[in-house]
């Protein structure tokens, strides 16, 4: 009967023992026909963590990582090279720590996570009739395994690599100290953002149906029917200064000119029907207008240099990735307009753009009073003033053609790399600064999020990178963003806009939220 065992090596076995294919497996496991080494996720993470350093430990981590990479090409790696027992290596990264042992083990610690995963591996169906053991020389790991009843095999001392020479350790420590000192003398650039991941709620609007649009047009006709009263039909005159004959000689008189037949006909056959047609088209596009007018989600972040020296030749990049999102610099907000009323009452009214206001019905022709002025010596001066006013634009245009000197750049200020403020939506943008002062006030940046087609929720991330000539490596932050889209009520908004026609033009209620 052949004997097959599964061994789960911990990180120390991979990092501190001799090469796996050089170990005396037959001497340590006599009578065993095959040994399968199972690499689990906690061990893989620890190996990956060490491979970027210096010294023997990092070098060994890179060798093991290269061996692990072979598992991406094949499910089994042979380490025995034809010898007995056969030794193979497989990946067990799909196994997670045994939930039943979470009360006795702290899975935030790598050692306990290894023991818990070996327990889960032992209970797996695929290994139910096999022998599974933890392979380790770490006393802490072995004590945890014994405490929770996980089988283990202790690595013999002759498997371990000889200790590093003291001289090598001294050199390594000296190099680490130099690196640390260099880092302390660098700028310490920090990317700061509050309340991440950023989460926003937006509304998506469906187009109005044909029946809804027709009903709105009928309501519009009832509330604002075509006018039939076009004012007095006869001409008349009146004094420009009633009761003051002497003054009337200078001010002249006024004549009432009734609406002409052409004006009435133009109102009835052109202006009013065209207004209805424009409103109909407006209702068809209302869902798009409502989505465009929503306040764009805004993200704010701060950059600061907490180091002991300025950062030189700085470049900061903001890149939006994923979710189909773009970034845009916000425009200056319009302040609410204060309106005064009797009794000292003041009301601030938000002004909404013309795309959020229905076209107003055309005014019917009613005739008008026109002033007929008497001759006055003041006419000469009025004519002279008009002549000066006509020539004023020529002088202004001449001044506008004069070359403007560009403003000098300050070395410690940030400027857009493109040379001018980028107002259009874009996936990324860059800033530069010749010398970023240390321990100065943080630099604050604000962006609007823009996308096309807002009927789906989306996730993205803003990647921020700070590069400088005197930084060993760039400072990078990945800030996640979530936009949740909810359904809005287009019909309700259309009715509210219709109600807004009874108010003065431009003063309407803000979009409902």
């Amino acid at each position: 009967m052949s004997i097959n065992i599964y061994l789960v090596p911990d990180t120390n076995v991979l990092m501190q023992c001799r090469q796996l294919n050089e170990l005396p497996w037959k001497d340590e496991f006599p009578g065993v026909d095959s040994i399968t080494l199972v690499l689990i996720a906690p061990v893989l993470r620890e190996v990956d963590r060490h491979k970027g350093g210096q010294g023997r430990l990092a070098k060994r981590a890179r060798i093991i990582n290269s061996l692990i990479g072979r598992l991406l090409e094949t499910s089994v790696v042979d380490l025995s090279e034809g010898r007995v027992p056969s030794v193979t290596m497989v990946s067990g990264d799909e196994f997670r720590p045994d939930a039943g042992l979470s009360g006795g083990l702290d899975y935030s610690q790598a050692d306990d996570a290894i023991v818990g995963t070996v327990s889960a591996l032992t209970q797996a169906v695929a290994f139910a009739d096999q022998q599974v053991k933890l392979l380790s020389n770490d006393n802490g790991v072995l004590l945890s395994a014994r405490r929770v009843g996980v089988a283990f095999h202790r690595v013999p001392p002759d498997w371990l690599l000889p200790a590093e020479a003291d001289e090598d350790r001294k050199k390594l420590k000296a190099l680490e100290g130099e690196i640390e000192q260099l880092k302390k003398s660098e700028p310490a650039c920090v990317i700061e953002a509050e309340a991440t991941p950023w989460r926003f709620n937006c509304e998506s609007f469906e187009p109005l149906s044909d029946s809804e649009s027709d009903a709105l047009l009928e309501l519009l006709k009832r509330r604002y029917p075509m006018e039939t009263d076009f004012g007095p039909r006869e001409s008349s005159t009146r004094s420009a200064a009633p009761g003051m004959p002497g003054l009337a000689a200078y001010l002249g008189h006024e004549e009432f000119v009734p609406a002409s037949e052409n004006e009435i006909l133009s109102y009835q056959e052109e202006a009013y029907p065209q207004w209805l047609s424009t409103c109909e088209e407006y209702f068809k596009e209302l869902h798009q207008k409502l989505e465009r007018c929503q306040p764009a989600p805004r993200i704010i972040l701060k950059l600061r240099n907490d180091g002991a020296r300025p950062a030189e030749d700085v470049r900061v990049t903001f890149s939006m990735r994923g979710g189909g999102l773009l970034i845009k610099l916000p425009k200056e907000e319009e302040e609410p307009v204060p309106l005064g009323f009797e009794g000292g009452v003041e009301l601030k009214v938000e002004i909404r753009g013309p795309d959020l206001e229905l076209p107003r019905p055309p005014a019917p022709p009613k005739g008008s009073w026109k002033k007929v002025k008497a001759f006055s010596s003041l006419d000469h001066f009025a004519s002279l003033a008009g002549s000066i006013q006509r020539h004023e634009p020529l002088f202004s245009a001449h001044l506008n053609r004069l070359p403007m000197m560009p403003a000098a750049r300050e070395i410690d200020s940030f400027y857009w790399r493109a040379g001018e403020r980028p107002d259009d939506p874009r996936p990324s943008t860059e800033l530069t600064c010749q010398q970023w002062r240390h321990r100065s006030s943080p630099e604050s940046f604000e962006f609007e999020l823009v996308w096309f087609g807002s009927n789906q929720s989306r996730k993205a991330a803003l990647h921020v990178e700070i590069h400088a000539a005197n930084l060993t490596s760039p400072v990078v932050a990945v800030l996640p963003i979530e936009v949740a889209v909810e359904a809005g009520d287009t019909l309700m908004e259309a009715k509210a806009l219709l109600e807004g026609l009874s108010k003065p033009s431009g003063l309407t209620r803000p979009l409902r939220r």
Side-chain angles (χ1 to χ4, degrees), residues 94-323:
E94 70 273 18
F95 291 97
R96 295 295 176 265
D98 184 358
L101 298 180
S102 59
L105 296 173
D106 181 6
Y107 289 151
S108 65
Q109 302 297 320
D111 290 351
D112 283 6
I114 292 172
V115 174
T117 306
V118 175
S119 176
L121 182 64
T122 304
Q123 299 175 33
V125 175
F127 303 102
D129 59 345
Q130 306 290 344
Q131 188 177 4
V132 179
K133 289 185 177 182
L134 169 64
L135 185 65
S136 175
N137 70 317
D138 189 319
N139 289 334
V141 175
L142 296 175
L143 286 172
S144 295
R146 188 181 68 177
R147 188 175 72 252
V148 297
V150 171
F152 61 84
H153 185 93
R154 187 166 189 170
V155 170
D158 61 346
W159 281 25
L160 301 176
L161 291 167
E164 289 185 273
D166 289 341
E167 190 63 30
D168 291 340
R169 288 186 177 181
K170 289 180 181 179
K171 289 181 179 179
L172 179 60
K173 190 172 182 179
L175 289 173
E176 290 175 346
E178 290 180 12
I179 293 173
E180 187 65 25
Q181 189 63 31
L182 286 172
K183 287 185 175 181
K184 287 182 179 179
S185 65
E186 289 183 351
C189 301
V190 179
I191 302 169
E192 186 179 72
E194 296 181 0
T196 54
W198 287 306
R199 293 185 175 90
F200 304 97
N201 294 320
C202 297
E203 284 186 315
S204 174
F205 294 88
E206 293 294 326
L208 292 170
S209 65
D210 291 341
S211 59
E212 289 173 336
S213 182
D214 292 342
L216 288 168
L217 282 175
E218 289 301 321
L219 181 58
L220 200 63
K221 292 176 186 179
R222 289 196 303 270
R223 292 195 178 183
Y224 305 95
M226 183 184 294
E227 186 63 71
T228 57
D229 180 11
F230 302 108
R233 308 303 298 143
E234 301 293 334
S235 301
S236 60
T237 61
R238 66 184 182 187
S239 172
M244 293 183 286
L247 188 57
Y250 292 96
L251 298 181
H253 63 277
E254 294 177 334
E255 292 183 357
F256 178 78
V257 180
S260 67
E261 292 299 328
N262 286 338
E263 289 174 334
I264 295 173
L265 194 63
S266 176
Y267 165 78
Q268 293 174 331
E269 296 184 357
E270 296 179 12
Y272 187 84
Q274 181 61 41
W275 172 68
L276 291 177
S277 177
T278 303
C279 291
E280 182 179 13
E281 190 65 26
Y282 190 96
F283 287 137
K284 289 180 180 179
E285 300 175 356
L286 180 58
H287 63 290
Q288 298 175 348
K289 297 178 182 293
L290 289 170
E291 289 179 356
R292 287 198 300 266
C293 79
Q294 292 184 87
R298 291 194 178 188
I299 54 178
I300 302 175
L301 64 155
K302 295 180 180 180
L303 309 180
R304 65 176 191 272
N305 180 6
D306 289 344
R309 60 175 300 180
E312 299 172 357
D313 192 17
V314 181
R315 187 177 85 249
V316 183
T317 63
F318 303 92
S319 302
M320 188 64 68
R321 301 180 188 176

